[in-house]
Structure formats: structure tokens, C-alpha cells
Amino acid sequence: MSVLTDLIYAGSNAVAGLTEGAVNDAIAKYGEDTRIAFPDTAYFFPTIYAATGVKVTKLGDLPACVGVLKSLISNKEDLGEALNAGLATAVGAEIIEGLKWLNENPYEGEGGIGFVPDPVIRSLGVPLVTGDIPGVAVVLGSAEKPAELAAVVKDYQNKGLLTFLVGDVIDQAAAEGVKMGLDYRVVPLGHDVTAVIHVVTVAIRAALIFGAVPPGDLGQLLDYTKQRVPAFVNTFGPLNEVVVSAGAGAIALGFPVIVDVDLGENQVPGALVSVTDHAETVKTSLELRNIKIKVREIPIPVGFAAAFEGEIIRKADTHVEFWNSKNPTCELVISRDPSQVEDHKLTVVGDDIGPEGGEMALATFVEVCGAKMQADFESVIERKIHSWFNYMDGVMHTGQRNMFRIRVSKDAYAAGLRLKDFAEVLYCEIMDQFASVVDKCQVTMITDPAKVEALLAETAMPRYNARDERLDAMTDDSVDTFYSCILCQSFAPSHCCVVTPERLGLCGAVSWLDAKATKELTPAGPCQPIPKQGLIDARLGAYEEVNKAVNTATHGAIENVTLYSILEDPMTSCGCFECICGIMPEANGVVVVNREYAGMTPTGMTFGELASMTGGGVQTPGFMGHGRHFISSGKFIAAEGGLRRIVWMPKELKDDVAERVNRTAKKLYGIDNFADMICDETIATDSEGVLAFLAEKGHPALDMDAIM
Ligand code: SF4
Ligand code: ZN
């Protein structure tokens, strides 16, 4: 036997033995009927479910799984067979980790997060397809030189990758000052090597959620993870047999493994590679997985990376704050005549950030010009300011327009970050990402309160109001073009969004204006125009041209799509939707649930369970993923009677959309304060409770035609 296959089998057999023992012990202690589940997932034990179709729900289900696991270990001298044994290790790890949830909060105090809930995976959809997160690194083991480990992890972080840590590397990276947490894209999983399964199941659930891979089809599953999940593994420190067999499992899923010990002739080209010089680890890993990084060289004194976007800066760490509730603020992008714009002119009007810090006024005023620039693109660029400012290490930005809050940390100030750098960031990003429409750009940062007020009153507010009026007037009836978006096809191959003025993409990130701008910026890109022609049925929103476009975009997978119905040929869902809408038959209406809500809904299903009913680019009548903003649209399930059908929403979502929902309900149906008639979890989550509340409020759905 080769050393490698030997090691893999030794590891797999060891894990098999451990798993069998753990399962027997657990059954002896708790009994076969004891329920067992990972938290917040609709996919049971995801590896077992995806690979075999078996739904593990109680301890008594596990012995059969151990049998399957053992059957994967052939002990034959053949690399392919040995990789299967690696999958057995994955199954074993899943069971061992799953058993931990017999105890409450097994990961409390562990320094890792353990299992990654479904909603988190869904939220990763868009950044992964846009390349905002270009890849996924799994770093495990124990580094001989922690500083070198930290350098590797920070490099991934700066490049925007999502990194999962397993083992001692967690504490080593933390001690070296690596910022951690999902917001920083460096996620500690757990210290036991079996915790690596928690990143494996992320890849596996991606196949189920976005790829619509049927459970039990191992071939399709492996194909999906290999083709579509850009992950790889780095191990630090000496390898033991369990690590090697786990690595074999990773290779079987299509993820190359880069080790820092010299494996000599035991290397497997493209799959198992030794890199003993840590300065080469990142480069080799990215090349092996063919991950391309867009380099952003922005000359500012702090780091600039998407990985810093979610950074929270606390009051105590804040050097200076620009906040509309204390001082005037304003953010504005406008297009100008070329003669009025001097390219790369960056100006600060008023005091720059000084040593005393504190609270200041701020206007971020961007003027651009370009032959292909359109007034409609101003707001598209303007909304990006939020992300770009957040990408600076030590800067936190929330809000937009005349209401925002920016905090600059003490560290960032000490590093030399000033307002000129803010301007530089905007200049570089606009010229890079909007190159095809912007020819010249100048940025003025104003801190003089009187001048900010003047800009607000004379220029910004009138512009904001004019844009809002234009958006209000922009309806599906008023335009002659819709847009397709197929960005999510890299994960959900047969998915296509149809984006209209009144129906944004289901991720919530692509409005009709965004799609229009995307078409202008990348003519052969993911958004293509659909002429609004060939009306088949106005009530459903069915058009021949829409069907044709979707059919082409999905390579024939989808034939007919309606824009306004949840029951007849509803739009497909990729999996990254902000909200899911499902029918509640007994209330003659629908419930709408947002991704952030973890509790139960009156359908008897959680968000994750509802969401698992659809996705992967398939049509599921009765279920529909959509953006938050769509809820208040006059076109929301218009074919079934519109938003009057909404009987239940989580409170946070209801509060967020109430004002707009009330406006639409009044305008279209003459209903006052409709949001107050919608039940939420603080009132009831059981069917009877919801029905009683609806009856008490005289909810309109109760008197409407039967929904189905
Ligand atoms: Fe994906 Fe649709 Fe959003 Fe495009 S609009 S990114 S296809 S969810
Ligand atoms: Zn998507």
C-alpha cells in the first residue's frame, strides 16, 4: 500500500470506530427515540441527507448511517476508493458533531461557532456570485509559527475570502490579532478536527439550497461542490491519519488540500500539494482552485477590503463621528457637464479630522461626467458609497442620503486616515467600477456645517425629491423594458430573475435601475433587456417575451413565468432571497418571513424550512422567494389579490415595511392602517391564535375568494 492510502484508511477506520462507539453510547444513555438535530437547518444531518437521502431525526436512525459509513471504507489499494473512505470520515465527523447537540449549546465557551445555520448560507449567495467573496478557505491544524499563520489568514481576509478555522489555529490567529467573526470573514468553527464538517456542510447545503441537487444523488452532489464551490483546505503542522482522511474527503468534494509538510512523492497533482514556504501558501492555494482576485490598490493608510464591511465600531473606540442626529450630513452623486468636472480633484472644505475628534458635520459630494452617464445612474453610484466607506478598516457607515452615521476609529485616525482618503476611495472605486459610464470624477468633502446645510437645501434635497418622484412614477406600466438577471446561475444554474420597476430581484440587491445600469456597464453581462411585448394575461403578468427570455436564460429549464402570481408559474427562486412567502390556507392568505427571523411561523415551518420548499431555480407554486422591498409593491402577488392577502409577518419585518404597506393598501384597496391587521409572533404563531386575531381585526383576506 502507498503511504497515503494507508494513512487515509487508518484515519477512516479510526473515525468509524469512534463514531460507532459514540452512537452506541448515546443510544444506551438516551434511548433510540431521542430526537437529534443540528440547530436552524431544514436539511437534517446535511452530509448524510445529501449523500443518501436519509433524514436523521432521532438516535435510532444513526446505526444504519454507521453501516453506510463503513461500507464506504473498502481498504482497497486505489486512490479513488481511498477518497471514498475520506467521505466516510466526513459522515463520521457529522455524526460525532451532531451528537454534541444532545447537550444544550455544545459550542458555548468553545471559542468556535460550530454549526453554520441555513440563513447564513443563504446570505452568502449574493457575495459569492458577485465575486465579492471570491473563495472559501479552510485553515486547520496547529501552526509552528503563529505569525506565519496569521499572515496567511490576514491575506485571505484582505482578498475578501471567507476563511474557516479549525483547531489550535483559532487561538493562534486570535493571539496574533486577527479580527474574527462572520462580519470579518474569518470564522472560528471549533477545536476538534471533526468541526471541519461544519464547513463541509456549508458546501453541501449550497448544493441543496442553490443547486437543487436531489438528496441521495452523490454523483451530482460531488459534481456540484467540485464545479461551483470555490473552496480549498490549508493544513498547518504535522498530519495525523484523521487529518489525512478528512483531507481525502475534501478532495473527494473537489477541494484541493495544501499541506505545509513535505509529502514528497505522495503528493497528488492538483489535489494534495505540499507548500512548505508559507509565503507561497496563498498564491498556490488560489491558483489550485483557480480563484482570481481583483487587486485594489488604493493609496490610503488603512486596509481596504470587503472583509471589513461588517466591522462595528463602538462609541469608546470612536475618534470622530458624523451623524445626522447631531450635525447636518449629506451624500450626493450628481452628473455634470464635462466642463464642470476636473478629474481626480479631491477637496476638503472646512476642517479635516483633527486630534480632538468628536462630532462633525459632513457632506460627501461627488460630481461625475461621461458621455454615457445617465441621471438614473446617480443613485446607483450613490448607494455604493455605503459599502466603499465600510471597506476601510476602522470606518463604519450606516444610512444614506441626508441621514447617515459614520464612525472613524481611534486606530484608523492614529494610522493617518483623513477625509482626503475618503475622497480617494470614492474616486478609485467609481473610476474602476463605473468606468464605462464615468469619464471624469471629482470629490468634495465638506465639514463646514453652514456649507453642508446650503448644499442640502439648494442641491441635495431637491435632487432626492425629484428622484423619489421619478421612482414613484416608474411602474411596470410606464416602461417598455424589463430586465433579466442571471447572476445567481453560478450557484443555481436554472435560475433567472425578471426585474421590473415594481418587482426587484429576490436578493433585494438588484432594482430595475440597477439592472439597467448593469446592462450599460457590462453589455454582455448578467442583466439583459426584455422588451415588454406579447401580453398573454395582464392579471398574472404573463408575457410572451418574458417567457422567451427566461427560457433562453435558463437553457430551456423554465418555460413560462408570470410576474405577479405565486400560484401560476411563479418566478423561480435561487436560494438567496431576503424573504419567503408561503400560503396559509386556513387564513385564506399568505405569510411572509424574512431570513433574519429564526422563530416558528403559523405554517408550522421556520424560515429555513419554508425556504427549503423552493430554491435551486425551480418553480414551486405556493412558495415564492422575494426581496423585502417587494412586499409593499402594488404588484405583490397581485394575481391572488395583492398584499391584502398578507396575514402574518415577523414583527421586525412588519415594522420595517408598515409605512409603505399602509400607503399601498390605502391607495389600491382603500384600507386604512393595514399593517395593524397583520398578525406577528408577539401576538400568535399558532393557527387558531392567528385566525382569532384576524377575525378580531376584520382582516380583508377572510372575505376574499378562496386563495386555492
Ligand atoms: Fe441573483 Fe436575482 Fe439578485 Fe440577480 S436579481 S443577483 S439573479 S437574486
Ligand atoms: Zn440568488
Side-chain angles (χ1 to χ4, degrees), residues 122 125-126 129 210 487-489 491-492 495 497 506-507 573-577:
R122 292 178 183 277
V126 169
V129 294
F210 301 109
L487 204 53
C488 283
Q489 281 195 358
F491 287 106
H495 174 67
C497 277
L506 54 81
C507 56
S573 298
C574 46
C576 67
F577 37 84

Side-chain angles (χ1 to χ4, degrees), residues 168-180:
D168 289 347
V169 290
I170 294 176
D171 314 289
Q172 293 181 320
E176 292 289 326
V178 174
K179 293 181 180 176
M180 278 188 215

Side-chain angles (χ1 to χ4, degrees), residues 129 180 185 266 291 374 402 540 627 661:
V129 294
M180 278 188 215
R185 298 194 184 168
N266 280 305
I291 296 170
Q374 298 181 19
N402 58 324
L540 296 171
V661 160

Side-chain angles (χ1 to χ4, degrees), residues 184-234:
Y184 292 106
R185 298 194 184 168
V186 176
V187 185
L189 285 178
H191 286 81
D192 295 341
V193 65
T194 46
V196 75
I197 193 64
H198 300 311
V199 53
V200 169
T201 77
V202 170
I204 285 175
R205 278 178 287 158
L208 297 170
I209 291 173
F210 301 109
V213 169
D217 191 332
L218 183 62
Q220 257 201 66
L221 173 71
L222 297 182
D223 207 46
Y224 185 93
T225 54
K226 191 185 181 97
Q227 304 295 335
R228 299 184 187 271
V229 181
F232 59 86
V233 180
N234 289 166

Side-chain angles (χ1 to χ4, degrees), residues 16-248:
L18 283 175
T19 310
E20 187 161 35
V23 168
N24 291 341
D25 288 353
I27 291 176
K29 189 166 170 201
Y30 298 100
E32 289 200 335
D33 293 326
T34 297
R35 314 284 301 169
I36 184 158
F38 286 107
D40 219 349
T41 181
Y43 302 96
F44 312 95
F45 277 40
T47 313
I48 293 171
Y49 180 55
T52 67
V54 171
K55 299 174 177 176
V56 173
T57 58
K58 56 184 198 322
L59 285 176
D61 296 330
L62 290 175
C65 301
V66 174
V68 172
L69 178 172
K70 284 175 156 175
S71 72
L72 286 166
I73 311 174
S74 70
N75 293 311
K76 280 191 201 140
E77 167 64 53
D78 171 87
L79 188 61
E81 296 264 343
L83 295 182
N84 276 339
L87 290 175
T89 300
V91 171
E94 179 163 276
I95 294 174
I96 291 171
E97 286 289 314
L99 289 172
K100 291 184 180 174
W101 265 273
L102 284 169
N103 308 313
E104 232 172 281
N105 305 327
Y107 270 85
E108 207 171 79
E110 218 278 344
I113 65 159
F115 191 79
V116 180
D118 289 358
V120 171
I121 298 176
R122 292 178 183 277
S123 71
L124 295 174
V126 169
L128 279 164
V129 294
T130 55
D132 182 31
I133 297 179
V136 178
V138 183
V139 176
L140 81 147
S142 180
E144 206 169 292
K145 297 192 179 127
E148 292 183 6
L149 160 80
V152 167
V153 174
K154 282 184 185 167
D155 198 0
Y156 289 142
Q157 192 173 43
N158 282 326
K159 290 182 161 68
L161 276 85
L162 181 61
T163 304
F164 290 96
L165 304 178
V166 177
D168 289 347
V169 290
I170 294 176
D171 314 289
Q172 293 181 320
E176 292 289 326
V178 174
K179 293 181 180 176
M180 278 188 215
L182 195 58
D183 285 340
Y184 292 106
R185 298 194 184 168
V186 176
V187 185
L189 285 178
H191 286 81
D192 295 341
V193 65
T194 46
V196 75
I197 193 64
H198 300 311
V199 53
V200 169
T201 77
V202 170
I204 285 175
R205 278 178 287 158
L208 297 170
I209 291 173
F210 301 109
V213 169
D217 191 332
L218 183 62
Q220 257 201 66
L221 173 71
L222 297 182
D223 207 46
Y224 185 93
T225 54
K226 191 185 181 97
Q227 304 295 335
R228 299 184 187 271
V229 181
F232 59 86
V233 180
N234 289 166
T235 70
F236 279 78
L239 300 172
N240 62 35
E241 56 203 36
V242 174
V243 170
V244 172
S245 74

Side-chain angles (χ1 to χ4, degrees), residues 39-42 117 119 580 591-611 648-652 680-682 684-686:
D40 219 349
T41 181
I580 177 106
V591 304
V592 177
V593 192
N594 55 309
R595 200 158 60 198
E596 295 79 9
Y597 177 71
M600 190 40 78
T601 78
T603 59
M605 293 188 265
T606 60
F607 171 85
E609 288 162 339
L610 278 165
W648 193 93
M649 281 198 260
K651 184 154 193 334
E652 182 269 319
D680 65 51
E681 78 280 12
T682 66
T685 53
D686 63 301

